[in-house]
Amino acid sequence: MTENLVDEAAPAPVKEPARPRRTSGEALARRRRLTSVTRPWLLLAPSLAVLAALLLWPLIQVGKLSFQEYAVKFGGGVGTWVGFDNYSGLLEQSDFWKTVLPNTVLFTFACVALTLGVGTLVALLLNRLGPAWKVICSTSIMAAWAMPAITGTYVWVWLFAAQDGLFPKALDAVGLVDAETANFFTDRLSFYLIATLNVVHHSFPFVAITVLAGLVTIPKELYEAAMLDGANAWQRFWRVTVPTIKPVFTVVTILSTIWDFKVFTQIYAMPGGNGTQPEMANLGVFSYIQAFAKQDYGTGAAAAVMLTLVLIVITIIYIRTLFKEGEDL
């Protein structure tokens, strides 16, 4: 009797609620999401590994070298850790602020502005041509873009060569200069004018073809409506063309800035640009001369790191612009 009362008074065991089982559809959706995330990285892994070996590791070594005073000796080199001394020494050089930095910034600004201007004008011209002439002209201008930078530089050097260059002779014929004594590569302004012509000649085809690709997407109805409102050609360009393909102009501007800021070949291959005339150096050439001509590897590496940091900032702006433009579409 007592045992029965005890059994009746004992609380009944509480059953845990049954956990909801994942259906096969949920598990399949989860695997698909995981695959969609991991698959691109798996496909990119070989390329990223190669880029890490070819770019990331040398970049780390240059950054490490910029904090050292490195001396090359027989059988190898010896580096002494000096902290930020190379950077402070670089920033304390008057030539860096009076020559190297102005050359780099002003040269980049001039090249980007002229490249965009010439490329846009050529794109507008190509857009008005018929199919046959458009193909012929596009192929012709792409030949300039396909030409190696060193080859194009030697062509411009030949055109402006002292005494027997085409332009000195032409200017001598009209009495502006004396071809026998004129040398356009000894003056800082004329030197960079030639370098700017060289870079613009090599770069404008990319801008022209890219802008042309944007122009063909603009509906003709927009131009017809603007003409009905009395807009002239200039107003149609600023009020219709530019706003419609603004993402295209943004991308080519940022890319041109990146390319022109790190120009090396077009400066170094010109007479006097290899360090014999220090007033002609930009940041890329200055870094090379410091490291290999003067064997000041720490200062050269510091200049290279500064150049890389500037390009990284511009690249981040470029990537953010692409994402922003993608969200707006």
Side-chain angles (χ1 to χ4, degrees), residues 31-323:
R31 286 197 297 269
R32 287 179 177 176
R33 287 195 297 269
L34 181 62
T35 303
S36 64
V37 173
T38 58
R39 181 179 295 174
W41 292 105
L42 292 175
L43 294 175
L44 290 173
S47 300
L48 293 176
V50 174
L51 290 176
L54 297 179
L55 297 177
L56 183 59
W57 179 248
L59 184 61
I60 293 174
Q61 293 300 313
V62 172
K64 178 181 176 182
L65 184 61
S66 67
F67 295 102
Q68 296 179 346
E69 184 178 348
Y70 196 83
V72 178
K73 297 183 179 180
F74 181 77
V78 178
T80 303
W81 193 265
V82 295
F84 289 93
D85 289 351
N86 291 324
Y87 291 93
S88 60
L90 175 63
L91 297 177
E92 290 173 358
Q93 294 186 27
S94 59
D95 291 342
F96 179 79
W97 295 102
K98 294 180 180 180
T99 302
V100 176
L101 200 57
N103 287 350
T104 305
V105 175
L106 295 177
F107 175 66
T108 301
F109 178 81
C111 289
V112 172
L114 289 175
T115 300
L116 290 177
V118 175
T120 302
L121 290 175
V122 173
L124 293 172
L125 174 63
L126 293 175
N127 194 39
R128 298 177 66 89
L129 296 177
W133 279 107
K134 183 181 296 186
V135 172
I136 294 173
C137 294
S138 299
T139 305
S140 300
I141 66 172
M142 289 304 294
W145 189 61
M147 182 183 298
I150 186 67
T151 305
T153 301
Y154 284 138
V155 170
W156 284 96
V157 169
W158 172 76
L159 290 174
F160 285 91
Q163 297 182 353
D164 57 351
L166 179 63
F167 280 96
K169 287 185 176 181
L171 295 176
D172 182 76
V174 296
L176 294 179
V177 300
D178 184 3
E180 296 296 327
T181 58
N183 190 342
F184 294 97
F185 299 101
T186 57
D187 180 72
R188 185 180 178 185
L189 179 59
S190 60
F191 179 94
Y192 270 97
L193 285 176
I194 299 172
T196 301
L197 291 174
N198 183 9
V199 172
V200 172
H201 170 256
H202 187 262
S203 304
F204 87 88
F206 170 78
V207 176
I209 299 301
T210 306
V211 174
L212 176 62
L215 290 176
V216 297
T217 63
I218 301 177
K220 294 182 179 180
E221 291 78 5
L222 296 178
Y223 291 109
E224 293 175 355
M227 293 177 65
L228 290 176
D229 291 337
N232 55 32
W234 183 254
Q235 291 172 334
R236 292 196 300 271
F237 175 75
W238 282 109
R239 301 294 177 86
V240 178
T241 304
V242 173
T244 306
I245 60 172
K246 181 181 177 181
V248 176
F249 284 116
T250 302
V251 169
V252 295
T253 300
I254 296 175
L255 286 177
S256 297
T257 303
I258 294 173
W259 294 336
D260 296 341
F261 198 88
K262 62 183 182 67
V263 164
F264 173 81
T265 304
Q266 290 89 332
I267 302 297
Y268 188 83
M270 290 174 60
N274 58 356
T276 55
Q277 298 182 108
E279 66 274 12
M280 308 303 180
N282 65 349
L283 193 54
V285 174
F286 175 81
S287 173
Y288 181 86
I289 292 172
Q290 290 291 322
F292 297 100
K294 298 183 179 180
Q295 295 187 350
D296 187 358
Y297 299 101
T299 303
V305 169
M306 294 181 64
L307 175 60
T308 303
L309 292 176
V310 173
L311 295 178
I312 288 175
V313 171
I314 299 175
T315 304
I316 292 174
I317 296 174
Y318 169 62
I319 294 174
R320 292 188 61 183
T321 302
L322 287 181
F323 279 110

Side-chain angles (χ1 to χ4, degrees), residues 12-24:
V14 179
K15 295 183 178 180
E16 295 183 359
R19 296 180 180 179
R21 296 182 179 180
R22 295 180 179 270
T23 63
S24 59

